[in-house]
Short mmCIF file of all heavy atoms in Angstrom, two decimals:
data_model
loop_
_atom_site.label_atom_id
_atom_site.label_comp_id
_atom_site.label_asym_id
_atom_site.label_seq_id
_atom_site.Cartn_x
_atom_site.Cartn_y
_atom_site.Cartn_z
N LEU A 1188 3.11 -10.48 -17.17
CA LEU A 1188 3.56 -9.67 -16.13
C LEU A 1188 2.70 -9.86 -14.86
O LEU A 1188 3.28 -10.00 -13.68
CB LEU A 1188 3.48 -8.21 -16.49
CG LEU A 1188 4.51 -7.68 -17.49
CD1 LEU A 1188 4.15 -6.20 -17.84
CD2 LEU A 1188 6.00 -7.85 -17.05
N ALA A 1189 1.39 -9.87 -14.94
CA ALA A 1189 0.58 -10.14 -13.81
C ALA A 1189 0.79 -11.50 -13.09
O ALA A 1189 0.85 -11.57 -11.88
CB ALA A 1189 -0.89 -9.96 -14.21
N LEU A 1190 0.92 -12.61 -13.96
CA LEU A 1190 1.03 -13.79 -13.42
C LEU A 1190 2.49 -13.78 -12.73
O LEU A 1190 2.62 -14.54 -11.60
CB LEU A 1190 1.00 -14.90 -14.49
CG LEU A 1190 -0.50 -15.15 -15.08
CD1 LEU A 1190 -0.35 -16.07 -16.21
CD2 LEU A 1190 -1.36 -15.74 -13.93
N GLY A 1191 3.50 -13.39 -13.34
CA GLY A 1191 4.78 -13.28 -12.73
C GLY A 1191 4.78 -12.65 -11.38
O GLY A 1191 5.46 -13.17 -10.50
N LEU A 1192 4.23 -11.38 -11.23
CA LEU A 1192 4.18 -10.68 -10.04
C LEU A 1192 3.44 -11.48 -8.97
O LEU A 1192 3.80 -11.56 -7.80
CB LEU A 1192 3.66 -9.34 -10.26
CG LEU A 1192 4.42 -8.44 -11.09
CD1 LEU A 1192 3.79 -7.07 -11.28
CD2 LEU A 1192 5.83 -8.06 -10.41
N ALA A 1193 2.22 -12.10 -9.39
CA ALA A 1193 1.38 -12.70 -8.37
C ALA A 1193 2.07 -13.96 -7.91
O ALA A 1193 2.07 -14.31 -6.72
CB ALA A 1193 0.05 -13.07 -9.05
N VAL A 1194 2.71 -14.78 -8.76
CA VAL A 1194 3.40 -16.00 -8.33
C VAL A 1194 4.56 -15.73 -7.44
O VAL A 1194 4.79 -16.38 -6.49
CB VAL A 1194 3.74 -16.85 -9.62
CG1 VAL A 1194 4.69 -18.07 -9.20
CG2 VAL A 1194 2.63 -17.41 -10.35
N ASN A 1195 5.32 -14.67 -7.81
CA ASN A 1195 6.32 -14.27 -7.00
C ASN A 1195 5.94 -13.91 -5.60
O ASN A 1195 6.56 -14.28 -4.57
CB ASN A 1195 7.04 -13.08 -7.66
CG ASN A 1195 8.13 -12.51 -6.64
OD1 ASN A 1195 9.24 -13.02 -6.49
ND2 ASN A 1195 7.71 -11.24 -6.12
N ALA A 1196 4.86 -13.12 -5.44
CA ALA A 1196 4.41 -12.78 -4.07
C ALA A 1196 3.95 -14.01 -3.32
O ALA A 1196 4.19 -14.10 -2.16
CB ALA A 1196 3.12 -11.79 -4.26
N ALA A 1197 3.20 -14.96 -4.08
CA ALA A 1197 2.81 -16.12 -3.34
C ALA A 1197 3.93 -17.06 -2.81
O ALA A 1197 3.92 -17.47 -1.72
CB ALA A 1197 1.88 -16.94 -4.25
N VAL A 1198 4.96 -17.18 -3.64
CA VAL A 1198 6.07 -17.97 -3.33
C VAL A 1198 6.88 -17.27 -2.07
O VAL A 1198 7.41 -17.86 -1.21
CB VAL A 1198 7.07 -18.19 -4.54
CG1 VAL A 1198 8.28 -18.87 -4.12
CG2 VAL A 1198 6.30 -19.05 -5.55
N HIS A 1199 6.96 -16.01 -2.30
CA HIS A 1199 7.70 -15.17 -1.29
C HIS A 1199 7.06 -15.29 0.11
O HIS A 1199 7.66 -15.37 1.14
CB HIS A 1199 7.75 -13.76 -1.67
CG HIS A 1199 8.79 -12.94 -1.00
ND1 HIS A 1199 10.11 -13.28 -0.86
CD2 HIS A 1199 8.72 -11.66 -0.34
CE1 HIS A 1199 10.76 -12.46 -0.24
NE2 HIS A 1199 9.95 -11.41 0.10
N ALA A 1200 5.64 -15.37 0.10
CA ALA A 1200 4.94 -15.53 1.38
C ALA A 1200 5.06 -16.91 1.78
O ALA A 1200 5.25 -17.17 3.10
CB ALA A 1200 3.46 -15.22 1.08
N VAL A 1201 4.95 -18.00 1.04
CA VAL A 1201 5.07 -19.34 1.51
C VAL A 1201 6.36 -19.61 2.08
O VAL A 1201 6.53 -20.34 2.95
CB VAL A 1201 4.76 -20.32 0.29
CG1 VAL A 1201 5.23 -21.80 0.61
CG2 VAL A 1201 3.38 -20.24 -0.08
N LEU A 1202 7.49 -18.98 1.42
CA LEU A 1202 8.86 -19.09 2.00
C LEU A 1202 9.09 -18.33 3.20
O LEU A 1202 10.33 -18.21 3.61
CB LEU A 1202 9.82 -18.91 0.91
CG LEU A 1202 9.77 -19.92 -0.37
CD1 LEU A 1202 10.77 -19.44 -1.29
CD2 LEU A 1202 10.08 -21.35 0.12
N ASP A 1203 8.11 -17.59 3.75
CA ASP A 1203 8.30 -16.69 4.94
C ASP A 1203 9.35 -15.72 4.53
O ASP A 1203 10.21 -15.23 5.40
CB ASP A 1203 8.79 -17.41 6.10
CG ASP A 1203 8.48 -16.61 7.38
OD1 ASP A 1203 7.79 -15.57 7.33
OD2 ASP A 1203 9.21 -16.78 8.40
N THR A 1204 9.31 -15.18 3.24
CA THR A 1204 10.24 -14.07 2.68
C THR A 1204 11.68 -14.32 2.66
O THR A 1204 12.45 -13.57 2.46
CB THR A 1204 10.03 -12.71 3.51
OG1 THR A 1204 10.68 -12.93 4.87
CG2 THR A 1204 8.55 -12.37 3.65
N VAL A 1205 12.01 -15.66 2.87
CA VAL A 1205 13.46 -16.05 2.73
C VAL A 1205 13.47 -16.95 1.39
O VAL A 1205 13.16 -18.09 1.42
CB VAL A 1205 13.95 -16.89 3.89
CG1 VAL A 1205 15.39 -17.30 3.78
CG2 VAL A 1205 13.76 -16.11 5.21
N ASP A 1206 13.86 -16.28 0.40
CA ASP A 1206 13.77 -16.91 -1.07
C ASP A 1206 14.60 -17.97 -1.14
O ASP A 1206 15.56 -18.22 -0.47
CB ASP A 1206 13.91 -15.83 -2.09
CG ASP A 1206 12.78 -14.76 -2.11
OD1 ASP A 1206 11.67 -15.23 -1.89
OD2 ASP A 1206 13.18 -13.63 -2.22
N LEU A 1207 14.27 -18.74 -2.23
CA LEU A 1207 15.15 -20.02 -2.55
C LEU A 1207 16.65 -19.66 -2.85
O LEU A 1207 17.51 -20.41 -2.59
CB LEU A 1207 14.56 -20.67 -3.77
CG LEU A 1207 13.16 -21.27 -3.54
CD1 LEU A 1207 12.71 -21.87 -4.93
CD2 LEU A 1207 13.12 -22.47 -2.51
N VAL A 1208 16.78 -18.36 -3.28
CA VAL A 1208 18.22 -18.07 -3.73
C VAL A 1208 19.05 -17.90 -2.56
O VAL A 1208 20.24 -17.87 -2.54
CB VAL A 1208 18.17 -16.69 -4.52
CG1 VAL A 1208 17.81 -15.50 -3.70
CG2 VAL A 1208 19.46 -16.60 -5.20
N TRP A 1209 18.40 -17.73 -1.30
CA TRP A 1209 19.18 -17.57 -0.12
C TRP A 1209 19.29 -18.85 0.68
O TRP A 1209 20.04 -19.04 1.58
CB TRP A 1209 18.54 -16.58 0.87
CG TRP A 1209 18.45 -15.10 0.38
CD1 TRP A 1209 17.51 -14.45 -0.02
CD2 TRP A 1209 19.55 -14.32 0.31
NE1 TRP A 1209 17.79 -13.31 -0.37
CE2 TRP A 1209 19.05 -13.10 -0.28
CE3 TRP A 1209 20.98 -14.36 0.53
CZ2 TRP A 1209 19.88 -12.05 -0.52
CZ3 TRP A 1209 21.67 -13.30 0.29
CH2 TRP A 1209 21.15 -12.19 -0.28
N ARG A 1210 18.77 -19.88 0.10
CA ARG A 1210 18.83 -21.30 0.69
C ARG A 1210 19.84 -22.21 -0.02
O ARG A 1210 19.81 -22.01 -1.30
CB ARG A 1210 17.38 -21.89 0.85
CG ARG A 1210 16.36 -20.97 1.50
CD ARG A 1210 14.91 -21.56 1.28
NE ARG A 1210 13.99 -20.71 1.95
CZ ARG A 1210 13.27 -21.09 3.07
NH1 ARG A 1210 13.58 -22.16 3.66
NH2 ARG A 1210 12.41 -20.30 3.49
N GLY A 1211 20.44 -23.04 0.66
CA GLY A 1211 21.37 -23.93 -0.10
C GLY A 1211 20.99 -25.40 0.10
O GLY A 1211 21.87 -26.31 -0.28
N ASP A 1212 19.84 -25.73 0.49
CA ASP A 1212 19.54 -27.17 0.64
C ASP A 1212 18.94 -27.79 -0.67
O ASP A 1212 18.93 -27.03 -1.69
CB ASP A 1212 18.39 -27.24 1.79
CG ASP A 1212 17.15 -26.40 1.48
OD1 ASP A 1212 17.14 -25.77 0.54
OD2 ASP A 1212 16.24 -26.43 2.44
N TRP A 1213 18.76 -28.95 -0.53
CA TRP A 1213 18.34 -29.75 -1.95
C TRP A 1213 17.02 -29.24 -2.30
O TRP A 1213 16.73 -29.27 -3.59
CB TRP A 1213 18.37 -31.23 -1.72
CG TRP A 1213 17.38 -31.66 -0.77
CD1 TRP A 1213 17.41 -31.81 0.67
CD2 TRP A 1213 15.98 -32.17 -1.10
NE1 TRP A 1213 16.22 -32.31 1.21
CE2 TRP A 1213 15.47 -32.48 0.11
CE3 TRP A 1213 15.41 -32.32 -2.34
CZ2 TRP A 1213 14.01 -33.08 0.11
CZ3 TRP A 1213 14.12 -32.80 -2.32
CH2 TRP A 1213 13.51 -33.12 -1.03
N VAL A 1214 16.06 -28.88 -1.42
CA VAL A 1214 14.79 -28.39 -1.91
C VAL A 1214 14.89 -27.09 -2.81
O VAL A 1214 14.31 -26.88 -3.76
CB VAL A 1214 13.90 -28.18 -0.69
CG1 VAL A 1214 12.60 -27.63 -1.21
CG2 VAL A 1214 13.68 -29.49 0.09
N ALA A 1215 15.72 -26.29 -2.26
CA ALA A 1215 15.97 -24.94 -2.99
C ALA A 1215 16.59 -25.29 -4.37
O ALA A 1215 16.24 -24.67 -5.31
CB ALA A 1215 16.94 -24.01 -2.18
N TRP A 1216 17.58 -26.14 -4.39
CA TRP A 1216 18.19 -26.48 -5.73
C TRP A 1216 17.19 -27.09 -6.65
O TRP A 1216 17.19 -26.87 -7.82
CB TRP A 1216 19.39 -27.43 -5.58
CG TRP A 1216 20.65 -26.66 -5.19
CD1 TRP A 1216 21.14 -26.54 -3.95
CD2 TRP A 1216 21.44 -25.98 -6.08
NE1 TRP A 1216 22.35 -25.81 -4.16
CE2 TRP A 1216 22.55 -25.41 -5.37
CE3 TRP A 1216 21.45 -25.80 -7.52
CZ2 TRP A 1216 23.54 -24.74 -6.01
CZ3 TRP A 1216 22.43 -25.04 -8.01
CH2 TRP A 1216 23.52 -24.55 -7.44
N LEU A 1217 16.34 -28.06 -6.13
CA LEU A 1217 15.39 -28.73 -6.94
C LEU A 1217 14.28 -27.75 -7.51
O LEU A 1217 14.12 -27.73 -8.76
CB LEU A 1217 14.65 -29.86 -6.18
CG LEU A 1217 13.51 -30.70 -6.92
CD1 LEU A 1217 14.12 -31.31 -8.17
CD2 LEU A 1217 12.90 -31.60 -5.96
N LEU A 1218 13.74 -26.87 -6.72
CA LEU A 1218 12.77 -25.98 -7.17
C LEU A 1218 13.41 -24.94 -8.11
O LEU A 1218 12.83 -24.50 -9.11
CB LEU A 1218 12.16 -25.31 -6.02
CG LEU A 1218 11.28 -26.23 -5.06
CD1 LEU A 1218 10.73 -25.33 -3.90
CD2 LEU A 1218 10.20 -26.87 -5.85
#
Side-chain angles (χ1 to χ4, degrees):
L1188 290 174
L1190 288 174
L1192 294 175
V1194 171
N1195 169 76
V1198 173
H1199 199 49
V1201 169
L1202 297 175
D1203 197 22
T1204 70
V1205 183
D1206 292 320
L1207 296 175
V1208 71
W1209 295 110
R1210 303 168 184 256
D1212 53 4
W1213 66 271
V1214 177
W1216 275 103
L1217 178 61
L1218 296 179

